[in-house]
Amino acid sequence: MPKDLRIGLLGAAAIAPSALIKPARQTPRVTVTAVAARDRTRAEAFARKHGVPVVHADYDALLADPQVDAVYVPLPNGLHAEWTLKALQAGKHVLCEKPFTANRAEAERVADAADAAFARSGLVVMEAFHYRHHALAERMREVVTGGELGELHRVEADVCFPLPRFSDIRYNYALAGGATMDAGCYAVHVARLLGNGEPAVTSARMLTLRKDTRIDRAMSAELAFPGGVTGRIRASMWSRRVLSIRARAVGTDGEMNVTNFLMPQLYHQLTIRTSRGAEGHVVRRERVPRNPSSYACQLEAFASAVLDGGPVITSARDAVANMSVLDSIYRACGLPLRGEMKDEAAA
């Protein structure tokens, strides 16, 4: 294993500069060495702009490059499983964007392959839930599990933002699009973090696109966790709830509200309101250090897992659990799972 981690980029995606290029400049042991895209001209322009030294003709050529140790996969959702599997077959570590796959069945196949690749060659597969690697996420978990709120009763998470451009690939069924996939995967992940268990979906309501009623533009789902804890997630790419990125946990002795758990390096606030008997309520507001950014923390965690054998907290197996909830939400509101109707979508 080399002392540094050399990462290749599968696709010149818009998220790549924030999620990989800039954090790599802040992470001494990581270099971005190669890029490939469906359009070589686009890959060359990306490489010039961001200082990536090697441009490959296609994804397969990048995977065959012996100077690439790992790949970052920011491709459309429906392509994540295919290229993660190909990367593992090529002997590369993988940092794969969320959601991990199109559905749970795909996630199971990839996780099985990841387990085998780790046992055989020590290959690491990590899902890119960047928020989870920031200090704010850990502080949220500490507040809930540390007993400060008393016995936990309910958790809630919203990830709602406006995306009114309905031609965007995130609204494309063939590419595993939908608000639950793009925004809801975060809300579900946070609910699972705070709920400290795997929930069942008890109900779900959605708003769909007129041009394709398989695609949800907004989703709300009620959850039931072990031990009687209830939950709710809301996800939207276009609805009356234009912008809401927040998390909430309610216990017998108080509640925690968190604003902008998703991009805490930009701004965030954690508020704890607890009961103190005759003293009434006590309100405390906290902020953890904004930097390193969530993306820098994620990249450092990935490098540590590969180079040092560090833990992988957003593992392929964790991704299976998250995809299971997403599938259950779609089933609860009568929408097809992503990836179930590929032939119809292609036609």
Side-chain angles (χ1 to χ4, degrees), residues 31-277:
T31 56
V32 181
T33 58
V35 62
R38 288 177 298 170
D39 180 349
R40 186 183 178 107
T41 301
R42 186 180 176 203
E44 290 172 344
F46 184 95
R48 285 193 301 271
K49 181 175 181 179
H50 298 290
V52 181
V54 177
V55 176
H56 285 290
D58 53 37
Y59 301 150
D60 288 310
L62 187 147
L63 293 181
D65 186 346
Q67 301 303 309
V68 171
D69 308 308
V71 294
Y72 171 57
V73 182
L75 299 170
N77 302 340
L79 302 178
H80 288 178
E82 175 187 355
W83 287 101
T84 297
L85 290 171
K86 287 182 176 180
L88 290 173
Q89 291 164 4
K92 311 300 185 186
H93 306 276
V94 181
L95 177 61
C96 179
E97 266 303 334
K98 40 54 62 182
F100 193 57
T101 56
N103 52 55
R104 180 193 169 115
E106 280 191 358
E108 288 273 14
R109 290 195 294 273
V110 177
D112 287 345
D115 288 345
F118 181 79
R120 181 178 63 251
S121 308
L123 294 180
V124 170
V125 176
M126 177 184 286
E127 185 175 19
F129 273 120
H130 60 97
Y131 89 92
R132 181 61 184 89
H133 300 275
H134 194 273
L136 179 62
E138 187 59 26
R139 179 60 184 142
M140 291 162 59
R141 189 191 68 81
E142 288 174 354
V143 169
V144 172
T145 61
E148 189 168 355
L149 305 181
E151 182 182 351
L152 185 66
H153 280 179
R154 184 167 177 82
V155 297
E156 299 174 352
D158 293 2
V159 178
C160 304
F161 56 84
L163 183 64
R165 190 174 67 253
F166 300 122
S167 60
D168 190 281
I169 60 170
R170 285 170 281 185
Y171 288 114
N172 187 322
Y173 179 86
L175 296 175
T180 305
M181 297 293 285
D182 196 72
C185 68
Y186 280 114
V188 166
H189 203 268
V190 172
R192 291 176 53 239
L193 174 67
L194 300 181
N196 197 29
E198 302 306 332
V201 176
T202 57
S203 66
R205 296 184 302 167
M206 79 294 191
L207 299 173
T208 60
L209 293 186
R210 291 181 180 178
K211 68 175 185 178
D212 189 345
T213 55
R214 298 170 301 181
I215 291 292
D216 52 310
R217 57 184 175 89
M219 182 72 72
S220 176
E222 288 290 324
L223 310 175
F225 289 86
V229 176
T230 64
R232 185 199 65 214
I233 67 99
R234 287 190 291 217
S236 171
M237 298 193 297
W238 190 241
S239 70
R240 291 181 180 179
R241 190 173 297 276
V242 178
L243 182 63
S244 178
I245 300 175
R246 57 182 292 273
R248 180 173 179 249
V250 182
T252 53
D253 298 333
E255 68 178 72
M256 174 186 72
N257 287 277
V258 182
T259 301
N260 196 20
F261 65 84
L262 189 58
M263 295 286 283
Q265 57 268 28
L266 300 181
Y267 169 81
H268 69 269
Q269 183 167 280
L270 185 153
T271 302
I272 301 169
R273 185 174 184 267
T274 55
S275 303
R276 288 292 185 269

